Amino acid sequence: MSGGEAWVVVGLAGVATVALKGLGPALLGGRALPPRLLAVVGLLAPALLAALVVTQAFGAGDHLAVDARVVGLAAAAVALVARAPALVLLAVAAPATAHVRML
Amino acid sequence: MRGGARAVAPLAVAVLGFGISFGVLARSAGLGPIAPIVMSATTFAGSAQFAAVSVLDAAGGVAAAVLSAVLLNARYVPIGVSVAPWMTGGFGSRLLRAQLVVDESWAVSSRGGGRFDVDVLVGAGVILYGTWVAGTAAGALAGDLIGDPERLGLDAAFPALFLVLLRPQLTGRRPVLAAALGAATALALVPVAPPGVPIVSAAAACLLGLAGRSARATGPTDEAGGSGARGAGVG
């Protein structure tokens, strides 16, 4: 890959991301959403975050895989149920996975 | 803003490691030391950056690399709409603050029922931005010295991180249903759709909000205000 290609990707990805992130706030900023749309976006966080959890845990390129990451996620889930703080959750997830990989 | 900074402090540790990983990957993909840092400073969206650089690394070409970044960041359109009502001020200021929206800053600023605390979002976003760019710089410039944090199981920290952010959102039947539907949609699409599409498609699960009772009746989500405020802090 040429260095020029990298800079073109950096530039275009940057411009596209600024546009995608800015679209809503730039066009609709400060204006109340209609109640029905508000009810919809209220469920956006649980829907997207759950999707991120499962794709980060089970996604492996173009297929699904159950691997050492599941052990880390399970350890985090146990810590979550035990009401451990966020840092503890992250601190148990990573070593649990790393440990399983070494086995 | 300080509240937002406090809420994401634990997550910032993971983001720093992720930034280092990105710097290491981008450097080894032949981007040199400067382009990865500029990319983190201008794109500020981890998964999209990883995807674009992975495509370049696999000689997939410029168009495919940019397309993968666009698909992975497509979710920021509905996310941007969700925070728009709470983002006041001039056009330039709104556009600028919108750039601080990433999954983590957005989630910790959620107050339930579609409400957001923009001060918390900005505080959290600034901390994450600094951490992300600094991590990238460390990985790109000194990756050989640090080694790749990926081997420490960092990839498992990310599902855990999103689990931390998801927990305070699950405040009633509807959010739980939306989460289950979103997760199922994403999993079903991973094998058949390009990266990014499963996530943005999962957003459609929030259309559950149109079913049955009116927006005003979603009382239980109000609880998310308290717990969501501290977000990750509540654990």
Side-chain angles (χ1 to χ4, degrees):
Chain A
M1 177 200 59
S2 74
E5 263 189 352
W7 281 106
V8 172
V9 169
V10 168
L12 292 177
V15 169
T17 304
V18 167
L20 291 168
K21 284 187 176 182
L23 198 63
L27 296 183
L28 305 168
R31 260 178 266 169
L33 296 177
R36 287 179 78 78
L37 186 54
L38 193 65
V40 169
V41 300
L43 294 179
L44 193 57
L48 278 182
L49 291 168
L52 287 164
V53 169
V54 297
T55 52
Q56 296 274 335
F58 303 108
D62 60 355
H63 62 280
L64 298 171
V66 177
D67 56 31
R69 289 173 296 176
V70 177
V71 179
L73 185 61
V78 169
L80 190 69
V81 170
R83 298 183 170 277
L87 201 55
V88 173
L89 257 83
L90 299 175
V92 296
T97 291
H99 188 74
V100 171
R101 286 213 177 110
M102 281 190 301
L103 294 180
Chain B
M1 278 179 63
R2 215 169 274 177
R6 258 198 306 272
V8 291
L11 310 183
V13 178
V15 168
L16 182 71
F18 197 46
I20 294 173
S21 279
F22 174 70
V24 169
L25 171 77
R27 185 75 192 268
S28 72
L31 268 75
I34 305 303
I37 304 172
V38 172
M39 191 179 202
S40 284
T42 53
T43 296
F44 186 35
S47 53
Q49 292 177 231
F50 265 102
V53 168
S54 304
V55 170
L56 277 183
D57 195 25
V62 169
V66 173
L67 181 66
S68 70
V70 168
L71 288 176
L72 275 155
N73 281 341
R75 70 182 180 282
Y76 286 116
V77 173
I79 285 176
V81 170
S82 77
V83 298
W86 320 99
M87 215 173 254
T88 50
F91 181 87
S93 153
R94 297 200 304 266
L95 189 61
L96 192 66
R97 282 177 296 158
Q99 304 310 316
L100 293 172
V101 175
V102 280
D103 301 312
E104 295 87 348
S105 61
W106 174 63
V108 299
S109 71
S110 166
R111 291 292 174 270
R115 285 166 305 166
F116 290 86
D117 184 330
V118 170
D119 268 356
V120 167
L121 192 156
V122 169
V126 166
I127 294 290
L128 293 170
Y129 183 81
T131 312
W132 177 240
V133 175
T136 304
L141 298 172
D144 302 342
L145 301 177
I146 318 174
D148 190 347
E150 226 28 46
R151 78 197 143 84
L152 302 174
L154 190 82
D155 48 339
F158 272 83
L161 186 157
F162 289 119
L163 192 65
V164 167
L165 296 172
L166 172 64
R167 178 64 191 90
Q169 300 289 339
L170 304 177
T171 51
R173 249 188 67 214
R174 279 179 176 225
V176 169
L177 268 177
L181 192 58
T185 305
L187 283 180
L189 289 178
V190 163
V192 292
V197 172
I199 302 287
V200 73
S201 304
C206 70
L207 292 175
L208 277 174
L210 291 176
R213 297 172 304 162
S214 72
R216 210 164 259 288
T218 53
T221 50
D222 283 356
E223 288 164 32
S227 48
R230 293 183 300 280
V234 285

